[in-house]
């Protein structure tokens, strides 16, 4: 992991819950928050025993892992409740889990629509709903909804994913207004093309990557660790008067079109 460039002292001992926190960007976020001294819990569909052991060896304590499906609202909310019971009221929620499965318009049926919305939008809302009373009780909180620049660019190849991502942005703005009186902040974080192992295995080609880098202002590729500092900033009171916003970390693609 790339070491955070700043220490956010208020995140020490904070109760943090991350969806999809055991792989890809989520694993980097779990690592990054633990490096700040936060108590991290995360949910994921796949087993994460090796990752949990790695974090325990690195940080001297384990993240709390729940194996479950975020599209099952009962499983998701139960994990959030158990996380709060173990670590105290959640004051930082990171909605990170998503699925950018490629598809054509012609392939979409009602079941696939429902599943894509459940993974990429519905679960975000119900996680926010579950943590809001805890954050109100604590007197503050930060919700970070991971989105993507894909909807800003109007990318082809996954129209339901871009639809959900645009919805995340709208939900973020409305919940910022809904929760603001209780000092709960809600922001989005929109990465560019982050080269997770999944992306490399399924979709990265030399030609595609070269074309994408041509559109970036900064010519370095984005790694999962590049999302850590932005998420820490949004979770910390360093951004205490920032809400309803979308923080874009994409190397400068969306400014150039």
């Amino acid at each position: 992991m790339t070491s955070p460039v700043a220490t956010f002292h208020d995140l020490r001992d904070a109760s943090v819950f991350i969806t999809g926190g055991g792989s890809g960007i989520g694993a980097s976020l779990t690592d990054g928050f633990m490096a700040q001294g936060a108590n991290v819990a995360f949910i994921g569909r796949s087993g994460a025993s090796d990752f949990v052991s790695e974090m325990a060896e690195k940080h001297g304590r384990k993240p709390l892992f729940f194996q479950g499906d975020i599209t099952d609202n009962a499983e998701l909310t139960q994990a959030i409740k158990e996380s709060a019971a173990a670590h105290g009221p959640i004051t930082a929620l990171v909605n990170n889990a998503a699925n950018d499965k490629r598809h054509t318009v012609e392939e979409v049926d009602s079941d696939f629509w429902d599943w894509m919305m459940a993974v990429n939008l519905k679960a975000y809302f119900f996680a926010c709903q579950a943590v809001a009373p805890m954050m109100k009780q604590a007197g503050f909180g930060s919700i970070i909804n991971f989105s993507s620049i894909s909807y800003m660019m109007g990318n082809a190849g996954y129209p339901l994913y871009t639809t959900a991502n645009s919805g995340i942005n709208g939900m973020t703005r409305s919940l910022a207004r809904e929760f603001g009186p209780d000092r709960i902040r809600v922001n989005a974080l929109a990465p560019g093309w982050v080269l997770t192992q999944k992306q490399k295995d399924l979709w990265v080609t030399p030609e595609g990557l070269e074309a994408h880098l041509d559109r970036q202002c900064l010519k370095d590729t984005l790694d999962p660790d590049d999302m850590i500092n932005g998420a820490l900033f949004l979770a910390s009171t360093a951004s205490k008067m920032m809400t309803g916003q979308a923080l874009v970390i994409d190397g400068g693609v969306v400014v150039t079109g």
Side-chain angles (χ1 to χ4, degrees):
M1 187 194 83
T2 301
S3 297
V5 298
T7 299
F8 295 92
H9 301 284
D10 62 310
L11 294 180
R12 177 166 293 280
D13 297 324
S15 178
V16 179
F17 189 87
I18 302 172
T19 65
S23 62
I25 293 173
S28 287
L29 298 175
T30 296
D31 196 0
F33 275 97
M34 292 190 73
Q36 298 288 318
N39 295 313
V40 177
F42 69 94
I43 186 172
R45 292 188 66 178
S46 302
S49 57
D50 289 346
F51 176 68
V52 169
S53 296
E54 177 188 344
M55 291 297 97
E57 182 177 350
K58 182 173 183 178
H59 300 292
R61 64 195 190 287
K62 292 182 178 180
L64 182 59
F65 169 58
F66 300 94
Q67 187 164 3
D69 184 349
I70 62 169
T71 67
D72 185 322
N73 193 45
E75 288 188 12
L76 175 62
T77 54
Q78 183 62 31
I80 288 172
K81 290 178 182 177
E82 292 184 26
S83 173
H87 295 157
I90 294 164
T91 54
L93 166 68
V94 185
N95 276 316
N96 160 77
N99 193 310
D100 58 348
K101 181 178 176 65
R102 292 344 189 227
H103 56 275
T104 65
V105 172
E106 293 76 16
E107 290 173 314
V108 174
D109 59 19
S110 180
D111 288 342
F112 184 67
W113 168 278
D114 290 345
W115 179 76
M116 285 292 284
M117 293 303 122
V119 172
N120 293 302
L121 185 59
K122 177 185 172 183
Y124 281 48
F125 177 86
F126 283 104
C128 293
Q129 183 190 66
V131 301
M134 303 178 192
M135 293 181 175
K136 182 177 181 180
Q137 174 190 344
F140 68 98
S142 175
I143 295 171
I144 304 164
N145 293 321
F146 266 71
S147 179
S148 166
I149 65 167
S150 60
Y151 82 93
M152 302 178 190
M153 299 173 68
N155 282 354
Y158 40 27
L160 299 193
Y161 179 70
T162 58
T163 297
N165 270 261
S166 183
I168 289 168
N169 195 50
M171 183 182 72
T172 294
R173 293 185 178 190
S174 288
L175 293 186
R177 185 72 64 183
E178 294 271 355
F179 297 163
D182 295 314
R183 297 180 66 237
I184 301 168
R185 299 181 298 108
V186 189
N187 290 291
L189 197 160
W193 196 5
V194 179
L195 300 188
T196 63
Q197 192 59 51
K198 176 183 176 181
Q199 296 292 317
K200 293 175 182 177
D201 290 344
L202 295 178
W203 297 304
V204 174
T205 64
E207 299 80 11
L209 184 57
E210 181 181 5
H212 189 80
L213 288 175
D214 282 344
R215 302 179 75 176
Q216 287 186 192
C217 297
L218 303 173
K219 301 306 180 182
D220 297 315
T221 57
L222 289 164
D223 295 318
D225 286 357
D226 291 322
M227 301 302 113
I228 295 172
N229 286 301
L232 295 176
F233 169 70
L234 291 176
S236 168
T237 53
S239 59
K240 73 181 184 70
M241 293 305 291
M242 180 177 173
T243 195
Q245 304 301 310
L247 178 63
V248 178
I249 305 177
D250 71 344
V253 175
V254 293
V255 303
T256 55

